[in-house]
Amino acid sequence: MSDAKTPHEGAEPSVRGATAGTPQDPTAEPDLHSSDVPGAGTDEPVLTFEEAAAHGHTATVLDPDATPVLEVENLRMYFPVKSSGLIRRTVGHVQAVDGISFQVPRGGALGLVGESGCGKSTTGRLITRLYDPTSGSMRFDGETDLATVSRRQMKPLRRDIQMIFQDPYSSLNPRHTVGTIVGTPLRVHNMVPKNQVLKRVQELLEVVGLNPEHYNRYPNEFSGGQRQRIGIARALALQPKLMVADEPVSALDVSIQAQVINLLQDLQAEFNIAFLFIAHDLAVVRHFCPEIAVMYLGKIVEVADRETLYQRPFHPYTQALLSAVPDVKQAAIGGRRERLRLEGDVPSPINPPSGCRFRTRCPFAQEICAKVEPPLMQVGPRHKVACHFAGELGDHPDHPVTAPLLGLDQAGSPDPAATPLAQADPGPGFADTWFDIKRGQMTGRTSAGTVGTTTPGS
Amino acid sequence: MTVQHTMPGNAAAAGSGEPYLVVENLTVRFPTADGLVQAVTDLSYSVELGQTLGIVGESGSGKSVSSMAVLGLHDAKSSRIEGSIRLGGTEVVGLSEAKLRPLRGNAAAMIFQDALAALHPFYKVGSQLTEAYLAHHPQASKKDARRRAIEMLDRVGIPQPDRRVDDFPHQFSGGMRQRAMIAMGLINDPKLIIADEPTTALDVTVQAQILDLLQDLQREFNSAIIIITHDLGVIAEMADDVLVMYGGRAVEYGATKELLTHPEMPYTWGLLSSVPDVTADTGGRLIPIPGNPPSLLRPPKGCPFHPRCAHVDKVPANLCSTELPELLPGSRGADHLKRCHLADPDAIYRDQVLPEIAPDLVEES
Amino acid sequence: MFAYIVKRLLAGFLVVTLISMMVYALFWYGPRSPAQELCRRESNNRCTPEKLERYEEALGYNNSVTSEYGKWAKGLVAGRDITVGASVIHCEAPCLGLSYRTRQPVFEEMKTRLPATISLAVGAASITLTIGVTVGVLAARRRGTFADKALVSTTLFMSSIPYYLFALLSMLYLTIVYDVFPQTGYTPLTDNPGAWFTGLLLPWLALGFYNSTSYTRFSRGAMVESLSEDYIRTARAKGLTSRVVVMRHALRAALVPVVTIFGIDFAFLLAGTIFTEKIFDIQGIGRWGLDATLIKDLPVVQATVLFGSIIIVVANIIVDIIYSILDPRVRLS
């Protein structure tokens, strides 16, 4: 069918897109005129399955050598809780984000997952400075600290950091045409001469797979998926280096979700945009992000590359989260998946539990968990976890693995006999040495590339 | 259970051996200013006691509309319903409002998506539960009804039910609200539970808890469940049978294990290929279904899915765009129905689709 | 809740004070001073500069606005003595001053006029609410039918007629030409309940009916919205009768916005219904304020403005409290 008609004037029949391989392939040239795939119009010809499949992306692959475009260190956001009454005193704080560190690789993607109220959306809003952080630093592009710049200094940076929102219905002004919505950032930041704005808008619409002739239409004339494309075009207008995507597909129908994810993968490869991808859908995050951080109650509890996190997670919360996702492959077996059950609800972030915040729902919690907060320790080349009993599911240790590291006894009290192992927090990134929880000692890559170990002093 | 209830036609249904719910050739149309919206067309399915049917489809596929019809919830003035719906032997289509009322919430109950919107914000959870109970037990006292409400809240796992019964819905967490919603649905021991996207707005761990609860309750009361969702994972773990709907029609229908391992309709393939999976091969591609769901005002000629189907080139003579395929058994047995012109869909799925979306599964099948 | 009310009252006190200051400022810095007006009127348009000076001195317009406002404010709290010609009149707190026209304490006159306005407002508001909500609910339940459409267009047509015209025509045709209603006017309820009722009947109906048109549309809208809520579907799926669904579930939710607007509207009625009182010859607050404005009778204008703003401030607080009672999700803070 597809060779009979061209999907769009100017766009070639999409065989060219067949080479649009995975983003890490430098020779692949993604076909960004791929409005035939999303089907911006309704009467467009449909691809054959082979062509459609070629447009679909496999999961994004990790580039371990990418330099970070964003380094977040010890970021905190406490929202004051005011008393009711005549004089409104601050009676407490919602510890929405409490000392998180991570990095987003240039042109790569970090996924931020967790359940509602874990602070992942707040983190996104902090990076775009919709909120002013309580403390911490957010180094962007190796120099500017987004946490401390003034509003005025932030303005030019807004070009480089753009946000895509969850709700394609409320994030677009219904009284503005698509041309105005996408063109406004161009005008505000003087990206192109005034007489070139329309032309650029049309280019952008085409890039995101919308009909460029539709610049004069209003958001209500588009479907949910198309509106999300408009939001993406708007974010793209300023050629950002980093996009914060907050649940970009969760409001869309399942068949449309994949269209938008593929589009984002196309754009990422074409324009080398880094993504902080915030979502609760673990499967979508897994596909889009080669590296994922799991948040619980304002803290990062585990961060790792995709294979490690999804196949060998060490944190009981990650394990519970993953095992709770219904899996379509289960149909072949029947019944429910074996899973780590969690009881109860997430505690209040105003009064989080002492020590480890997950301990109130954790099936492995012991005395030490209430006393000492587990540090986010590096336990593999690209794997950090914050748990006293970190280990693979079914293989959690009986004794706190963190004890030698922190110089504590089994119950979590300071042990005068023990010397704390010098495994400091490696900060936002990963160090070349890490703590081997199985052996209870430091290990790592030496400069020669071999693995060496250090025994803890005792 | 201590509570007795009478069910019109229950005995008859038991005698005839017919499934508890039988939907036959159901068509639901809504006249609007723009024309007639064909929300559901010629839909047939059945659910037996103790069994779960999963209905899957996108928004506008008719999955919610058809199940609302089971309770006669469509306004007679603004809808046209044809066909037959037999609930425990009672014909629901054409039944008067007065005769429908004893069935609603009693013979069959619905559990809705987004419990925050589905519960009345101004009334206490307890009073909404007792109201449901008293509607079908007019002789019961308020005290009995309250006791029953607490008992149900306890049954669905709400801590301190005797205290929480006096809370307002907004004082509950999302998961607890959905539990309260389920408690309200089950308070009259319905034989059929229709759960319309019961876990869509919930976090995964809470979703898993709610699905556990529904399964436990089904085991306990031997009720029939219809679970409406867009999540094939939920279907895979919950349903005995699956009905895939597209554009108001059934496009594939069969046992869950059979249908999800050997899907025979390109739309089902599309659903499988457009959703990533937590355990999938990362070499698998995410292949979207192009375009948008069809207009129900002017449905496409021929197969409703053909404008978005990537396999029309494999069917000769433009059959897809001219002739509506029947819902018929495919090559895999009489119990697996599909609405597609493809001659050997199972082979196409195995040889072409699966290698792209799940390379790791190719060997096994 | 208590702290909230105190806080709102304090804010309201500030607003009322500012408004009263503005009224003073307007009189002091306006184009023609009240002294000129009074002098002209009381000397048959032959106001000489000497006479004017005497008036200005008597009324205090030769003093600064701040000192006069201070005197007025002090009188409000503690009472004061006011010199009129040779005599001194003691004005008890709360002293709102003496009317320029009658030379009588304003507060005393206000007390005689208040019952008329309250009678009018309560009667008209009851009619408005009863007709408005009832018709609105009926229309919402028959949404889309001919009756509903006819009703909506009728109310739209009604509200496009200016109120003074509507009131004037009903007075003209229903009292004067056809004599359906007796002569209107206010008789105190305690004097003669029958005359009180008959004299107010037409004003009640005119004002109440006219205002009900917007309530019909408003409550119809609120009802249509609440009938389409998810919880209505839940209520029907529970097997409740449609009467319970409509009255207990839909109407309860629809009433919240209606009550909110009604509270404020009622406050405006209490603050004085100028047209109604003028056309139907009722000596209420609104008419009093109107007459006083025309002759620049500052103390009376100040009193009516003060009264009106206090009523509105208090009504807003009461509406918020009612709102928090009706909707358990709302917490006052």
Side-chain angles (χ1 to χ4, degrees):
Chain A
M1 270 196 81
S2 73
D3 49 351
K5 285 180 250 168
T6 16
H8 239 279
E9 42 176 330
E12 289 174 53
S14 50
V15 199
R16 188 161 70 92
T19 56
T22 44
Q24 79 283 1
D25 181 359
T27 57
E29 187 195 343
D31 180 7
L32 290 177
H33 298 272
S34 56
S35 38
D36 38 7
V37 172
T42 43
D43 303 324
E44 291 179 5
V46 171
L47 307 177
T48 62
F49 179 73
E50 291 71 24
E51 291 163 342
H55 278 270
H57 290 299
T58 54
T60 319
V61 174
L62 179 73
D63 174 9
D65 301 323
T67 54
V69 68
L70 177 75
E71 287 175 283
V72 169
E73 195 155 7
N74 221 0
L75 187 66
R76 277 199 169 77
M77 183 70 223
Y78 287 6
F79 294 103
V81 180
K82 303 276 189 186
S83 65
S84 58
L86 213 48
I87 299 148
R88 305 193 59 194
R89 285 165 296 118
T90 301
V91 289
H93 286 98
V94 176
Q95 304 178 8
V97 172
D98 195 15
I100 62 169
S101 304
F102 60 85
Q103 63 181 29
V104 182
R106 194 176 299 277
L110 177 74
L112 210 52
V113 299
E115 296 181 283
S116 42
C118 71
K120 57 188 194 299
S121 286
T122 306
T123 306
R125 279 151 196 264
L126 284 169
I127 288 159
T128 46
R129 272 297 288 274
L130 294 173
Y131 299 142
D132 293 333
T134 308
S135 69
S137 74
M138 304 184 282
R139 269 189 311 284
F140 179 69
D141 227 0
E143 34 195 286
T144 328
D145 184 357
L146 299 174
T148 53
V149 295
S150 66
R151 296 261 151 188
R152 186 193 301 215
Q153 289 166 312
M154 188 65 202
K155 197 191 156 195
L157 287 167
R158 291 204 191 279
R159 259 200 223 179
D160 293 333
I161 306 166
Q162 284 289 306
M163 191 150 182
I164 306 171
F165 297 93
Q166 168 177 9
D167 189 348
Y169 291 88
S170 64
S171 59
L172 302 177
N173 187 330
R175 277 173 286 279
H176 287 171
T177 62
V178 169
T180 312
I181 290 168
V182 178
T184 300
L186 295 172
R187 274 183 278 266
V188 169
H189 290 272
N190 291 317
M191 293 293 287
V192 288
K194 281 231 159 48
N195 56 1
Q196 298 285 305
V197 169
L198 179 61
K199 190 167 155 269
R200 181 74 188 129
V201 165
Q202 292 186 318
E203 281 169 19
L204 287 163
L205 290 181
E206 198 161 350
V207 164
V208 298
L210 292 172
N211 186 339
E213 303 303 317
H214 291 175
Y215 68 91
N216 232 351
R217 297 195 178 181
Y218 288 89
N220 64 349
E221 295 172 68
F222 294 87
S223 68
Q226 289 172 326
R227 285 183 210 208
Q228 196 55 294
R229 287 169 191 273
I230 297 168
I232 293 168
R234 172 175 61 184
L236 208 58
L238 298 173
Q239 298 167 358
K241 291 177 183 158
L242 173 67
M243 274 213 212
V244 177
D246 190 357
E247 303 274 8
V249 297
S250 47
L252 306 175
D253 250 329
V254 281
S255 72
I256 311 295
Q257 285 189 4
Q259 296 177 6
V260 172
I261 293 168
N262 273 317
L263 170 67
L264 291 177
Q265 283 183 301
D266 281 340
L267 298 175
Q268 180 178 35
E270 165 94 353
F271 301 110
N272 201 34
I273 302 169
F275 277 83
L276 179 64
F277 195 94
I278 301 166
H280 70 277
D281 186 330
L282 291 147
V284 168
V285 170
R286 179 174 182 267
H287 183 85
F288 195 84
C289 307
E291 213 154 48
I292 297 104
V294 181
M295 285 186 77
Y296 183 80
L297 214 55
K299 300 246 182 214
I300 290 181
V301 295
E302 186 158 16
V303 53
D305 59 277
R306 175 192 295 129
E307 284 65 33
T308 309
L309 192 97
Y310 283 82
Q311 276 153 34
R312 294 178 306 280
F314 277 3
H315 200 285
Y317 180 62
T318 314
Q319 291 157 357
L321 213 51
L322 283 171
S323 66
V325 180
D327 186 357
V328 67
K329 287 210 204 90
Q330 193 65 22
I333 303 150
R336 303 292 300 282
R337 279 211 293 162
E338 274 300 306
R339 65 187 178 85
L340 187 60
R341 280 156 204 262
L342 291 187
E343 298 298 324
D345 286 324
V346 182
S348 158
I350 301 174
N351 266 318
S354 66
C356 173
R357 292 189 174 189
F358 183 59
R359 71 175 163 86
T360 52
R361 300 173 74 197
C362 180
F364 309 109
Q366 291 184 28
E367 204 181 344
I368 186 174
C369 301
K371 281 190 193 160
V372 183
E373 187 187 328
L376 187 64
M377 55 191 173
Q378 187 171 340
V379 293
R382 294 191 84 85
H383 188 189
K384 289 190 226 175
V385 66
C387 178
H388 292 300
F389 300 93
E392 283 191 50
L393 189 56
D395 196 18
H396 284 282
D398 300 327
H399 303 295
V401 292
T402 50
L405 205 60
L406 300 168
L408 301 170
D409 66 14
Q410 303 297 309
S413 306
D415 183 357
T419 335
L421 201 64
Q423 205 265 352
D425 177 17
F430 292 98
D432 284 338
T433 56
W434 60 86
F435 183 67
D436 185 328
I437 46 172
K438 276 259 153 125
R439 288 188 284 177
Q441 58 193 15
M442 292 302 290
T443 181
R445 275 188 290 258
T446 61
S447 52
T450 53
V451 170
T453 54
T454 336
T455 329
S458 56
Chain B
M1 285 280 100
T2 53
V3 185
Q4 299 277 313
H5 66 264
T6 50
M7 253 288 308
N10 208 5
S16 70
E18 188 180 73
Y20 188 71
L21 174 70
V22 181
V23 174
E24 272 175 354
N25 308 103
L26 178 70
T27 297
V28 182
R29 279 177 284 211
F30 302 107
T32 68
D34 299 325
L36 207 56
V37 170
Q38 188 90 15
V40 175
T41 311
D42 200 16
L43 180 70
S44 303
Y45 63 80
S46 62
V47 196
E48 301 205 24
L49 291 178
Q51 295 283 302
T52 301
L53 171 72
I55 304 184
V56 66
E58 294 174 272
S59 37
S61 63
K63 57 193 197 305
S64 293
V65 171
S66 58
S67 50
M68 297 257 297
V70 172
L71 288 189
L73 285 173
H74 295 295
D75 187 355
K77 274 174 276 177
S78 59
S79 62
R80 293 189 206 153
I81 301 177
E82 287 156 34
S84 164
I85 299 171
R86 289 189 300 283
L87 181 65
T90 307
E91 178 59 57
V92 172
V93 174
L95 215 56
S96 72
E97 188 75 10
K99 288 193 172 145
L100 278 168
R101 220 179 304 120
L103 298 177
R104 291 182 189 148
N106 195 20
M110 276 192 93
I111 295 160
F112 296 102
Q113 177 183 6
D114 190 5
L116 185 61
L119 291 170
H120 201 295
F122 297 173
Y123 293 110
K124 289 173 180 166
V125 170
S127 88
Q128 302 193 44
L129 261 74
T130 52
E131 189 183 43
Y133 183 71
L134 290 171
H136 300 288
H137 298 83
Q139 75 290 351
S141 71
K142 284 215 162 125
K143 228 172 126 191
D144 289 342
R146 186 182 161 86
R147 198 178 309 124
R148 173 81 178 146
I150 295 171
E151 183 188 318
M152 284 314 295
L153 288 178
D154 189 38
R155 178 62 196 85
V156 298
I158 287 179
Q160 297 174 299
D162 49 332
R163 277 182 43 206
R164 302 311 297 259
V165 72
D166 289 323
D167 276 357
F168 288 100
H170 70 272
Q171 292 165 312
F172 275 31
S173 70
M176 290 223 295
R177 268 197 294 270
Q178 198 57 40
R179 285 171 190 271
M181 187 88 211
I182 292 173
M184 193 165 81
L186 297 182
I187 200 161
N188 294 308
D189 299 334
K191 286 265 176 285
L192 171 68
I193 301 162
I194 302 173
D196 188 350
E197 304 264 7
T199 58
T200 298
L202 304 175
D203 282 320
V204 277
T205 57
V206 182
Q207 163 170 298
Q209 291 171 358
I210 297 290
L211 296 181
D212 283 347
L213 175 65
L214 278 175
Q215 277 188 334
D216 289 352
L217 292 168
Q218 179 174 40
R219 243 171 258 136
E220 191 174 328
F221 301 115
N222 194 38
S223 39
I225 292 184
I226 296 178
I227 187 161
I228 300 168
T229 179
H230 61 267
D231 188 336
L232 286 173
V234 171
I235 297 276
E237 299 205 0
M238 293 289 290
D240 301 298
D241 295 319
V242 198
L243 174 69
V244 183
M245 287 190 71
Y246 185 80
R249 290 179 191 272
V251 294
E252 194 162 7
Y253 184 29
T256 305
K257 182 174 178 180
E258 157 67 20
L259 193 148
L260 289 183
T261 50
H262 294 90
E264 294 194 302
M265 161 75 197
Y267 177 64
T268 314
W269 301 345
L271 287 178
L272 287 163
S273 73
S274 61
V275 183
D277 184 16
V278 275
T279 58
D281 186 340
T282 47
R285 289 178 191 275
L286 199 59
I287 306 169
I289 305 173
N292 290 299
S295 155
L296 297 173
L297 270 173
R298 277 168 287 279
K301 279 211 178 61
C303 171
F305 186 59
H306 89 264
R308 301 174 76 189
C309 182
H311 302 273
V312 279
D313 57 332
K314 300 182 184 81
V315 175
N318 279 342
L319 209 55
C320 294
S321 53
T322 53
E323 197 177 311
L324 174 73
E326 300 273 330
L327 187 67
L328 291 172
S331 53
R332 305 220 8 117
D335 292 335
H336 185 167
L337 307 176
K338 49 109 189 172
R339 191 186 289 281
C340 185
H341 286 304
L342 285 173
D344 191 2
D346 194 37
I348 296 175
Y349 181 71
R350 188 184 60 229
D351 301 337
Q352 294 184 32
V353 181
L354 210 52
E356 295 287 357
I357 66 171
D360 56 326
L361 291 185
V362 174
E363 291 308 308
E364 297 168 29
S365 55
Chain C
M1 176 94 145
F2 176 72
Y4 171 80
I5 295 170
V6 171
K7 205 156 69 176
R8 287 287 306 269
L9 282 174
L10 283 175
F13 176 75
L14 206 71
V15 169
V16 171
T17 311
L18 280 173
I19 289 173
S20 68
M21 283 176 175
M22 273 162 59
V23 173
Y24 253 78
L26 279 173
F27 271 81
W28 241 258
Y29 301 113
R32 209 162 106 163
S33 86
Q36 275 175 318
E37 176 73 29
L38 199 63
C39 171
R40 188 185 57 78
R41 206 154 36 80
E42 295 196 345
S43 54
N44 292 323
N45 279 332
R46 280 192 288 274
C47 179
T48 61
E50 296 78 41
K51 276 189 194 168
L52 180 63
E53 204 167 308
R54 259 184 284 134
Y55 272 102
E56 283 190 334
E57 196 182 333
L59 300 181
Y61 282 94
N62 51 356
N63 296 334
S64 75
V65 62
T66 43
S67 77
E68 283 300 308
Y69 181 78
K71 278 186 206 162
W72 176 82
K74 179 176 164 275
L76 196 59
V77 186
R80 61 174 166 150
D81 294 326
I82 300 170
T83 320
V84 180
S87 58
V88 173
I89 295 176
H90 178 70
C91 176
E92 293 275 337
C95 174
L96 292 162
L98 301 186
S99 163
Y100 292 169
R101 188 168 60 88
T102 62
R103 306 283 199 276
Q104 295 303 310
V106 170
F107 189 68
E108 295 306 313
E109 192 170 354
M110 191 170 190
K111 280 198 281 191
T112 69
R113 286 180 178 260
L114 210 49
T117 293
I118 293 176
S119 302
L120 183 61
V122 171
S126 317
I127 292 172
T128 299
L129 203 59
T130 315
I131 297 182
V133 173
T134 313
V135 179
V137 168
L138 289 177
R141 288 197 62 185
R142 285 160 185 72
R143 177 170 81 248
T145 61
F146 175 76
D148 172 40
K149 284 172 187 159
L151 205 83
V152 171
S153 10
T154 311
T155 59
L156 270 172
F157 173 73
M158 291 280 297
S159 20
S160 64
I161 307 171
Y163 172 66
Y164 64 88
L165 191 66
F166 177 79
L168 208 59
L169 289 177
S170 46
M171 167 79 176
L172 189 66
Y173 281 95
L174 297 178
T175 305
I176 299 169
V177 180
Y178 293 113
D179 203 21
V180 181
F181 289 91
Q183 193 61 44
T184 60
Y186 175 71
T187 316
L189 179 64
T190 44
D191 291 7
N192 182 348
W196 173 80
F197 184 80
T198 53
L200 284 173
L201 190 55
L202 183 58
W204 280 340
L205 287 173
L207 185 57
F209 187 66
Y210 185 85
N211 284 350
S212 76
T213 57
S214 59
Y215 276 81
T216 300
R217 269 176 296 135
F218 192 61
S219 46
R220 179 188 175 277
M223 197 66 190
V224 165
E225 195 177 316
S226 80
L227 277 172
S228 67
E229 293 282 356
D230 281 5
Y231 52 75
I232 296 301
R233 188 183 54 183
T234 311
R236 295 184 60 218
K238 282 200 280 194
L240 304 179
T241 62
S242 59
R243 201 183 61 83
V244 173
V245 172
V246 171
M247 300 307 282
R248 205 173 123 77
H249 289 255
L251 185 60
R252 168 79 194 267
L255 273 183
V256 173
V258 174
V259 164
T260 314
I261 294 208
F262 176 76
I264 306 300
D265 278 357
F266 183 62
F268 274 96
L269 286 182
L270 278 180
T273 49
I274 296 176
F275 284 129
T276 312
E277 292 176 11
K278 182 86 183 164
I279 291 166
F280 296 105
D281 191 31
I282 294 162
Q283 298 295 331
I285 300 280
R287 180 145 176 219
W288 190 38
L290 175 69
D291 292 346
T293 313
L294 294 175
I295 60 165
K296 299 205 170 175
D297 190 346
L298 170 65
V300 174
V301 172
Q302 181 70 296
T304 52
V305 169
L306 194 68
F307 176 72
S309 50
I310 290 173
I311 290 285
I312 306 262
V313 163
V314 171
N316 268 301
I317 298 173
I318 291 175
V319 161
D320 282 357
I321 293 169
I322 291 177
Y323 193 72
S324 78
I325 293 168
L326 284 179
D327 187 342
R329 289 170 301 179
V330 175
R331 282 184 58 214
L332 300 177
S333 63

